Amino acid sequence: AASRRAKMAAAKERVVGAAPAGYTALAVKFGERQRSPHYLLVKEHQVREGAGTTHPPRRTLFVLNVPPYCSPDSLSRLFSRCGQVQSVDVCEKPGPREKKEKLTSKFFNRKTVTGFQVAYVVFRKPSGVQAAKALSQEGPLLISIESHPVKTGISKWIANYAASVVNREELKAEVDTYMQDYDKKIAEEEAKAAKEEGVPDEEGWVKVTRKGRKPGLPRTEAANLRVLEKEKQKRARKELLNFYAWQHRETKREHIAQLRKKFEEDKQRIALMRAQRKFRPY
């Protein structure tokens, strides 16, 4: 047992010593039964001056090597002992443009991130970042505990399936709200375009719109359905006419035969008119 503890301590020292420059390694475990710890790499998040970001400097902890089973709630609970956590943002990978649009939809544009991730933990006070880095001196932190268990296996699949079931009333309400906002936006743009139509700008240029003698086809759903229906009927007629390849060949052969027959008839008619001296080509 003593030799095993010594080997684990040596392995921990090697892993901690292998952390990149500027990072601190924090040991975590999924549960008490897990023997080998997993290491999170943390450091204070720093940004250039003037860079747009939703993660304030001096109060944000940048976390690498976040395992898939570690949710934002788990990270918030892990680092809550260091100070009050304001928010936790889990991303697929870090990037220069960290400022993201606010997701207002519950059913659309919901991207599920798989694999190891990165996280930004924002504290209320800057002291939380330093306290989080000091956790490396303590033992492994537990991600799944009895009071806050992390779902795995069949219980996780059942929860994911229950979350995937769409509430029709909520979906209808969200779609109706979106369409109302969209119609309002289009009406404002049309009113603005009508107000600016024919009015020159500062350089004397006049904006040309599609409202004129030939405004173009209306981009409505009914017009699109009519165009699609015409194309479908045209394609159906062509498919019925040339359903088989041999039918296509026979149709061409018959057409050529009719042309030759008409040519011979025209030759006989011209010869008869010449014989009767009624053929006057000029």
Side-chain angles (χ1 to χ4, degrees), residues 12-33:
K12 178 180 178 181
E13 291 179 359
R14 286 197 299 269
V15 174
V16 173
Y23 287 88
T24 304
L26 302 182
V28 295
K29 287 184 178 181
F30 178 80
E32 295 180 354
R33 296 183 179 181

Side-chain angles (χ1 to χ4, degrees), residues 136-150:
S136 60
Q137 307 299 328
E138 301 182 10
L141 307 177
L142 298 181
I143 296 177
S144 178
I145 58 178
E146 187 176 355
S147 59
H148 296 83
V150 176

Side-chain angles (χ1 to χ4, degrees), residues 52-93:
T53 176
T54 57
H55 311 123
R58 300 181 62 249
R59 292 193 297 113
T60 303
L61 183 71
F62 179 56
V63 186
L64 282 177
N65 204 26
V66 179
Y69 52 81
C70 193
S71 63
D73 295 336
S74 300
L75 289 175
S76 178
R77 183 183 55 80
L78 285 177
F79 293 106
S80 61
R81 67 186 68 187
C82 304
Q84 188 176 2
V85 177
Q86 179 177 340
S87 63
V88 177
D89 186 14
V90 179
C91 310
E92 184 177 3
K93 57 182 179 179

Side-chain angles (χ1 to χ4, degrees), residues 102-110 174:
K102 184 179 179 181
L103 296 177
T104 57
S105 176
K106 183 180 178 181
F107 305 98
F108 304 101
N109 300 328
R110 307 295 295 183
E174 181 175 330

Side-chain angles (χ1 to χ4, degrees), residues 156-206:
K156 181 180 179 181
W157 298 340
I158 294 174
N160 292 340
Y161 175 77
S164 65
V165 177
V166 178
N167 189 328
R168 295 184 178 181
E169 298 297 330
E170 294 181 1
L171 178 60
K172 183 178 182 302
E174 181 175 330
V175 172
D176 292 342
T177 304
Y178 177 83
M179 292 307 300
Q180 291 176 1
D181 297 340
Y182 177 78
D183 294 340
K184 182 180 179 181
K185 179 181 177 182
I186 294 300
E188 292 176 354
E189 292 179 355
E190 291 180 352
K192 183 179 179 181
K195 184 178 180 180
E196 296 178 353
E197 184 177 3
V199 180
D201 57 7
E202 297 178 355
E203 299 181 356
W205 294 92
V206 178

